[in-house]
Amino acid sequence: MPDLQQRSKSLVEALRRHVRGSVTGAQDVAYARMRRVWNAAIDEKPLAIATCADAEDVHYVLRVAADHGVPVTVRGGGHNIAGRAVRDGAVLIDLSGLRLVDVNTGARVVIVQGGALWRDVDVATAAHRLATTGGLVSSTGVGGFTLGGGAGWLMRRHGLACDNLLAANLVLADGRALRASADEHPDLFWGLRGGGGGLGVVTSFELRLHPLDNVLAGLVVHPHVADRDVLEHFADFARTAPDEFCGLAALINAPSLPFLDPAWHGRPVLVLALCWCGDLQAGAHVLAPLRRAGSPLADSVGPMPYPLWQQMQDASALAGRFNYWKSANFATLPSAVLDLLVEAHSQLPTPLAELHLQHLGGAVARAHAADSAYASREAQYFVNVIGVSATAEELRRVRDWTQALHSRLAPHALDIVQPNFLDADDGGALRGFGSERARRIDALRRQFAPPGFFAGMV
């Protein structure tokens, strides 16, 4: 720590001469707290943390970092599993002070500052009965989520978050501020839509909004013994479901759900999380066969405000836990994959570990693949192997289990990636975009920033 403090001192002094927001260095009491991100497994030590007051602050931080030959990282919500917002020896640009949300109801557009969380956007837009595709956990940052693609409950009807991006205001590595859209710097705009970042610091996003009031949503809980049948039924249903439906099958140990018999709390269960974002009466009819399948232990599906549904998973994604995830995309779901998930459900390494099966398709698949850097249009399903522990001591066991299961799933999976679900050791992840996309993304990054200047990107 003394060496870190010494290297940090001159950089912090230079930043404080220019930045109107706060600057935290390794010698400051707040440093230990400020360097932490959502995933407690990330233990990186930046040289300085600059909490920016505005886009001009971002400009000055980038200039100072370049003058000192130091790379930078960017933190919006800090929710990324790999902890890409923070790196040893870098300057952390913290956008948490930039959370304004401005809704233009006439144009059906929302302008969102780069440090906003999805709960900020959902609440502001719902007041006007409008919404856009956001994260499944409301504390997720808008920035990283959108730049990595952005899979959420509205994606099958309205596209991914990156598909709803109309424009972005950003500061480049050389300090220039510009606006990227389909008409302004279109190559840069292409890369911002699902390319995983590394092109500049986005200080605001302009996102398309869609009419939405209540959704028909909730959880259907099944006993572990029904895993195989329910998973197969869910996969078949999802394959031909209308675009208004988006669902997720979670193989977990049951949390203390108020509508579930306490005798099941802590025991293995399969939970179907279902969301219908169209006409509620039509949704009730369409979802009825899926809700009736098997012998559910509980069913909480009903009409509710969209922001409330957006926050339903927050309790299962608390900050300060130790996370290690892997993800795999599938064009189809062969029996072998379902068998692996069922087997793994009985071998969860901790009470907090989970397996998620989610479907894509709909508007995600219909979007023209060449219009954005996002690479997973052909995937119909994806599996997240969610290794979670409450303590650092359990993390090795969690990591071993996650890696082993992912290795067994990989032969059945597509060779493409979901940038938002990559862990820190997924080296060479850019290759998962496909050779042509990877080449184009790499060329854009070299065009707009010196190699290595934006650290921690995919």
Side-chain angles (χ1 to χ4, degrees), residues 20-21 28 53 76-77 94 107 137 153 185 187-188 218-219 221 245 278 317 327 338 397 429 433 441:
R20 294 195 305 111
D28 295 320
D94 180 9
V137 176
W153 296 114
H185 307 285
D187 283 351
L188 181 59
L219 308 178
V221 185
F245 170 71
S327 185
L338 300 182
R397 177 158 49 91
F433 283 81
I441 294 169

Side-chain angles (χ1 to χ4, degrees), residues 249-264:
L251 293 86
I252 63 174
N253 291 306
S256 300
L257 298 170
F259 53 86
L260 180 64
D261 185 338
W264 283 93

Side-chain angles (χ1 to χ4, degrees), residues 264-283:
W264 283 93
H265 293 175
R267 296 171 60 183
V269 294
L270 187 155
V271 178
L272 297 181
L274 311 179
C275 180
W276 177 272
C277 63
D279 177 81
L280 299 190
Q281 187 173 355

